[in-house]
Amino acid sequence: MSSVNPLDSRFSSVLNNARILLIKPSSLGDIVHALPVVSAIKAQWPRSHLTWIVKRQWADLVERAEGVDRVWPVDMTVGSWIREGRALRAQRFDLAIDLQGLFRSGILAWLSGAPARIGFANGREGSPWFYSDRVPVTDPDIHAVDRYLSVVAALGASLPDKARFGFRLREEDMATVQEICQRRGLTLDKPWVAVNIGARWPTKRWPLESFAAVVDQLYEARRDPLVMIGGSEERALTKKLKALTKSPFIDLCGDIPLGCLPALLSTSTAMITNDSGPMHIAAALGIPVIAMFGPTSASRTGPYGDGHQVLIGRVPCSPCFSRICRHDPELECLHLIQPTHVVDVIRPLLTAHVPCR
């Protein structure tokens, strides 16, 4: 195995007609972070054919990614991955790019039969052993978007000054969104604020009481609709939120198909959110994001680009990258972020209504 020289022309000279396999199965935010990789590959090698392997639950979002020629959904079982490896080998890929960096993604790159297999030198679970070429990561705090793009640079591509997140905003998606929102009383051509109160880790969730205070303060000040977005699993949270607020809000949790979420968020004025997948979709679309961060690192996985605001409660153990809080008092990093901090930050954005593209 060798380390890739960013100036190496071994790849760049042959990739324009290559069949490329991109392995990035999960999760939602990481998939969004990988979109600029597709844009950079297609800008440098427009005649290449790119297949993206993704977990089935996220496939609809990748279907909306510009530059992806084929979406290959997979299930996360060892048996299915072995079967997929055999099917992939028949596709005769020239290059496999593993952005996941785990054992199963590494072995899938190897099973694909691609003669060139590239991934990160610090990949986990022994994944680098399956690569023909490895890309070093010298800065542990580099943002995920820039880390993924370093692979494209190592392949010989010229990176743009600004990462491009290419979403296909389909007319049929917008029609679906408009129909759902009309039933819920939301008019998309007027200012509205997206709010995401959920997150996969409990330690990433800003207190519901704080969200309730923001809802009440913003509604009293502006009357712009505040709209809860998320999956069906967030419905229990919005039910609790309703009991905590004095003001109305619109609940779209579980109503919007994942593939239609970019279309919905593209019409929003701003987003208030925990560290979550929908946060990254909004940021990728150029929607101003106000995000509350606790156990995770904004420098690594914060909303990418300019014009966003990340609020952090400074405690000695943050970021701890833990799904279980062992700090006393519990979740102090999030409790230190006050509702007034959020309201003060978002008010100028609502007045200006200027996207941060």
Side-chain angles (χ1 to χ4, degrees), residues 12 41 47 76 94 122 126 128 142 159 169 172 174 178 207 225 228 232 234 254 261 270 274 279 320 346 351:
S12 187
I41 287 174
R47 294 196 302 273
M76 295 296 286
D94 302 292
N122 66 345
I142 187 174
L159 299 183
L169 298 178
E172 55 266 37
M174 188 59 70
Q178 288 176 336
M228 304 299 140
S232 56
E234 268 78 53
L261 190 55
N274 296 319
M279 173 191 76
C320 64
I346 198 172
T351 301

Side-chain angles (χ1 to χ4, degrees), residues 22 24 27-43 50 52 54 58-68 71 99 144-146 148-149 152 159-160 162-169 262 277 280-285 304:
L22 179 65
K24 189 57 183 163
S27 55
L28 180 56
D30 294 332
I31 288 168
V32 176
H33 291 153
L35 293 178
V37 169
V38 177
S39 297
I41 287 174
K42 287 296 186 172
L50 192 143
W52 186 323
V54 63
W58 310 123
D60 283 349
L61 186 71
V62 180
E63 289 280 0
R64 273 72 175 177
E66 293 180 357
V68 176
V71 178
L99 296 182
V145 171
D146 298 317
Y148 295 160
L149 283 173
V152 187
L159 299 183
K162 187 175 182 180
R164 184 175 183 275
F165 299 82
F167 275 118
R168 297 188 182 106
L169 298 178
H280 296 298
I281 295 176
L285 292 165
Y304 192 82

Side-chain angles (χ1 to χ4, degrees), residues 145-216:
V145 171
D146 298 317
R147 181 162 55 90
Y148 295 160
L149 283 173
S150 69
V151 174
V152 187
L155 292 171
S158 300
L159 299 183
D161 293 335
K162 187 175 182 180
R164 184 175 183 275
F165 299 82
F167 275 118
R168 297 188 182 106
L169 298 178
R170 301 174 176 177
E171 290 184 6
E172 55 266 37
D173 291 346
M174 188 59 70
T176 298
V177 164
Q178 288 176 336
E179 180 182 352
I180 295 170
C181 291
Q182 187 175 16
R183 292 201 304 264
R184 293 291 189 179
L186 174 63
T187 304
L188 295 179
D189 59 359
K190 295 180 180 179
W192 64 277
V193 178
V195 183
N196 181 26
I197 61 177
R200 278 198 309 151
W201 301 5
T203 51
K204 289 183 180 181
R205 297 173 190 162
W206 198 43
L208 281 178
E209 293 81 2
S210 298
F211 273 112
V214 169
V215 168
D216 286 336

Side-chain angles (χ1 to χ4, degrees), residues 37-119:
V37 169
V38 177
S39 297
I41 287 174
K42 287 296 186 172
Q44 187 76 23
W45 303 290
R47 294 196 302 273
S48 63
H49 184 281
L50 192 143
T51 297
W52 186 323
I53 287 184
V54 63
K55 284 179 65 174
R56 199 171 302 279
Q57 70 190 93
W58 310 123
D60 283 349
L61 186 71
V62 180
E63 289 280 0
R64 273 72 175 177
E66 293 180 357
V68 176
D69 298 293
R70 180 176 180 180
V71 178
W72 194 299
V74 296
D75 298 307
M76 295 296 286
T77 64
V78 174
S80 68
W81 279 50
I82 293 173
R83 291 192 299 272
E84 298 293 353
R86 292 169 181 164
L88 289 167
R89 186 175 289 269
Q91 300 298 311
R92 304 181 67 85
F93 290 106
D94 302 292
L95 168 67
I97 302 172
D98 178 17
L99 296 182
Q100 195 77 7
L102 297 174
F103 173 78
R104 275 187 283 187
S105 58
I107 200 169
L108 197 57
W110 179 73
L111 288 171
S112 74
R117 302 173 304 280
I118 189 170

